[in-house]
């Protein structure tokens, strides 16, 4: 079997996985916006001074989540740049791209887990108020 069809299959798969990472990060970013909007509604409609510390804590966690998402998006851009350079050369795609992509995917899964925990905690906080 020729090396070129396998190379094309690997390239196609790597591009697919990168797009999956982008969609997941965009989803988390969108949900984070909804949580910040929900927090703003609460502050506007039923703010109590004894809730201030906890609300500031959640706001800082939401902002930290945005920063983490942006770092991961930068990592995606770096991988895409390497992939683009790799596809226009004659190097081995998987050798250069696969390890950083696997690390990125692992970091995104951890970020997703942290975000789901944050959502759960925030919703429990609101129910307990």
């Amino acid at each position: 079997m020729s090396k070129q069809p396998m190379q094309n299959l690997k390239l196609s798969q790597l591009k697919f996985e990168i797009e999956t990472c982008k969609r997941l990060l965009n989803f988390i970013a969108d949900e984070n916006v909804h949580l910040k909007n929900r927090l703003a509604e609460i502050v506007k409609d039923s703010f109590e001074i004894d809730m201030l510390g906890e609300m500031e804590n959640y706001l800082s966690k939401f902002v930290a989540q945005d920063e983490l998402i942006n770092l991961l998006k930068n990592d995606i851009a770096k991988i895409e740049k390497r992939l683009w350079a790799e596809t226009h050369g004659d190097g081995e795609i998987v050798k250069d791209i696969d390890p950083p992509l696997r690390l990125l995917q692992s970091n995104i899964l951890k970020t997703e887990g942290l975000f789901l925990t944050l959502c759960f905690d925030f919703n429990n906080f609101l129910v307990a108020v």
Side-chain angles (χ1 to χ4, degrees):
M1 180 178 229
S2 166
K3 191 173 181 179
Q4 191 60 35
M6 286 304 293
Q7 199 82 342
N8 289 341
L9 177 61
K10 290 176 186 177
L11 175 62
S12 175
Q13 181 61 29
L14 291 172
K15 288 178 179 178
F16 176 82
E17 290 180 36
I18 289 169
E19 290 303 315
T20 299
C21 290
K22 287 179 179 180
R23 284 192 311 274
L24 183 53
L25 284 178
N26 286 334
F27 173 76
I28 295 170
D30 288 347
E31 289 302 306
N32 201 39
V33 167
H34 290 292
L35 291 175
K36 287 184 283 189
N37 288 340
R38 181 70 182 121
L39 182 61
E41 289 172 13
I42 293 164
V43 169
K44 185 178 87 174
D45 294 339
S46 60
F47 176 70
E48 293 183 23
I49 196 73
D50 60 332
M51 295 171 47
L52 182 61
E54 197 69 28
M55 290 182 164
E56 287 176 342
N57 182 40
Y58 279 109
L59 180 59
S60 69
K61 288 179 181 182
F62 298 148
V63 170
Q65 191 74 35
D66 284 334
E67 292 169 358
L68 183 56
I69 290 166
N70 286 333
L71 288 173
L72 291 168
K73 285 183 176 184
N74 286 339
D75 289 346
I76 289 173
K78 289 176 189 173
I79 290 172
E80 283 183 311
K81 184 177 179 180
R82 289 174 68 188
L83 185 60
W84 188 87
E86 197 68 41
T87 58
H88 291 84
D90 57 357
E92 185 68 30
I93 293 171
V94 176
K95 198 180 292 183
D96 285 345
I97 304 298
D98 198 51
L101 181 58
R102 299 298 161 231
L103 178 61
L104 173 69
Q105 290 170 323
S106 174
N107 289 338
I108 289 173
L109 287 175
K110 289 174 190 171
T111 299
E112 181 183 32
L114 291 171
F115 182 72
L116 291 173
T117 299
L118 177 59
C119 290
F120 181 78
D121 292 346
F122 182 62
N123 289 327
N124 283 339
F125 164 70
L126 295 180
V127 169
V129 172

